[in-house]
Structures are given as C-alpha cells and as structure tokens.
C-alpha cells in the first residue's frame, strides 16, 4: 500500500502571513531525531513593530497534538528563522505535521508541513543477534561450536605433545 503524504498547509491572516518549509533532508526522520522548519513571518499591513504570539505544534495523522510550545516574536516587516523540534523517541512510523500558528489580537495565520517517521534499518549485527537467538539455530550452532572448540583443544594438545617429545 502506498502512503500518500498530507499536503502542506498555508492559511494567511489579514495582518500577518507565515510560511513553513521543511528542507528535504529533514522530511524523513527516525524517532528521537530533530526536525527543522524554515519559517518566514510577514507583517502584511506594515502596522509597525509588534510582538506576535507564535505557537508550534507537532500532530500525528489523527490530528492529536504530540508537542506544543509558545514564544513571542517581534516583527516589523518580515523575519525568517529556523525552528528545531526534537522528536519523541516513541513515534511510530508514518506521517506527521509540523505546524506554526501566528496570533496577533484576533488575527490568525497558520502554516504546516508534513514529514515522515521511518523505521530504523536493522544493522547487520542486530540481524546476526536475532538469527543467533533463534532456538532452531541454537540447537544446531551450539554443538557445532563446541565441536570446533574440542578440536582446537585436541590439536593444541597434540602439537604440545609432539614438541615435548622432540626436545632432547
């Protein structure tokens, strides 16, 4: 089944506009990594230097809020900045939405950009460990390894005996 990513969100307000972009390299992440958003906030009406309330959200596909933070930004004309969100370690694979909401009085501007959480690729060592913990493998591998160890011990014993007999 092909999973279709959600569309980016962009809803400008009447006084302010906000845009959010996630750079390509941050669009597919592992749980616990950091997502980075490029944010551009514009004072459309040029109403002077004003403080605006900026809220950041992380939502899952079911619109559940997984993270929320708030800060105040002072805007005269336009500001551009990067915002980092550290992702929880327990996120399940799938699409999530990084959202930003800008409030000034009754004015509201909203932007969002999707990104995907992917499963960690198992390493070769993890694959070997999983293979070796399989009961069927252990019932075969353990006797074979013990046989090799016994053969090595016997070989070393015979070499020692031969060298001992050769000494005058």
């Amino acid at each position: 089944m092909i999973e279709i990513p959600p569309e980016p969100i962009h809803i400008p307000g009447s006084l302010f506009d906000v845009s959010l972009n996630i750079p390509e390299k941050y669009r597919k992440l592992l749980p616990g990594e950091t997502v980075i958003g490029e944010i551009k906030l514009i004072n459309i009406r040029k109403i002077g230097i004003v403080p605006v309330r900026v809220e950041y959200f992380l939502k899952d596909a079911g619109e559940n809020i997984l993270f929320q933070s708030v800060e105040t930004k002072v805007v005269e004309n336009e500001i551009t900045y990067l915002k980092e969100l550290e992702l929880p370690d327990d996120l399940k694979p799938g699409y999530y939405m990084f959202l930003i909401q800008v409030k000034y009085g009754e004015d509201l501007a909203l932007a969002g950009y999707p990104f995907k959480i992917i499963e960690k690729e198992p390493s070769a060592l993890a694959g070997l460990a999983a293979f070796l913990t399989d009961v069927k493998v252990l019932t075969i591998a353990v006797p074979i390894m013990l046989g090799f160890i016994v053969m090595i011990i016997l070989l070393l014993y015979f070499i020692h005996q031969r060298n001992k007999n050769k000494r005058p």
Side-chain angles (χ1 to χ4, degrees):
M1 183 172 113
I2 297 175
E3 204 175 4
I4 299 171
E7 290 293 318
I9 297 169
H10 180 235
I11 304 170
S14 58
L15 300 175
F16 290 90
D17 190 9
V18 65
S19 64
L20 170 64
N21 179 53
I22 296 177
E24 186 67 37
K25 74 183 255 183
Y26 297 101
R27 292 181 190 170
K28 288 186 180 179
L29 301 167
L30 296 171
E33 289 189 325
T34 301
V35 63
I36 295 180
E38 299 172 340
I39 298 168
K40 186 175 188 179
L41 204 144
I42 302 170
N43 183 340
I44 299 171
R45 301 285 175 142
K46 311 277 190 247
I47 55 178
I49 300 173
V50 291
V52 294
R53 179 183 170 97
V54 182
E55 298 178 11
Y56 306 97
F57 300 93
L58 175 63
K59 288 187 176 183
D60 63 13
E63 295 288 315
N64 299 307
I65 297 173
L66 307 175
F67 172 83
Q68 180 177 359
S69 71
V70 178
E71 67 181 344
T72 300
K73 292 281 186 185
V74 177
V75 184
E76 182 173 9
N77 296 320
E78 170 182 315
I79 59 172
T80 303
Y81 62 99
L82 298 177
K83 181 67 177 179
E84 297 181 5
L85 295 182
E86 192 171 320
L87 300 173
D89 291 327
D90 60 348
L91 289 182
K92 304 290 183 234
Y95 283 99
Y96 292 82
M97 186 70 76
F98 181 174
L99 291 156
I100 180 170
Q101 183 172 281
V102 178
K103 290 183 178 180
Y104 179 73
E106 298 298 313
D107 192 52
L108 179 67
L110 179 69
Y113 207 97
F115 64 95
K116 187 174 186 177
I117 294 295
I118 56 174
E119 285 190 69
K120 188 173 189 176
E121 299 271 332
S123 67
L125 190 58
L128 178 63
F131 176 73
L132 290 178
T133 56
D134 186 6
V135 175
K136 293 177 188 173
V137 171
L138 286 177
T139 58
I140 296 168
V142 170
I144 290 173
M145 287 191 297
L146 288 175
F148 278 125
I149 292 170
V150 170
M151 286 178 22
I152 290 170
I153 291 171
L154 287 173
L155 180 65
L156 291 173
Y157 174 77
F158 287 122
I159 290 171
H160 176 71
Q161 287 299 322
R162 189 176 78 191
N163 288 341
K164 187 177 173 183
N165 292 336
K166 285 186 179 181
R167 292 187 188 146

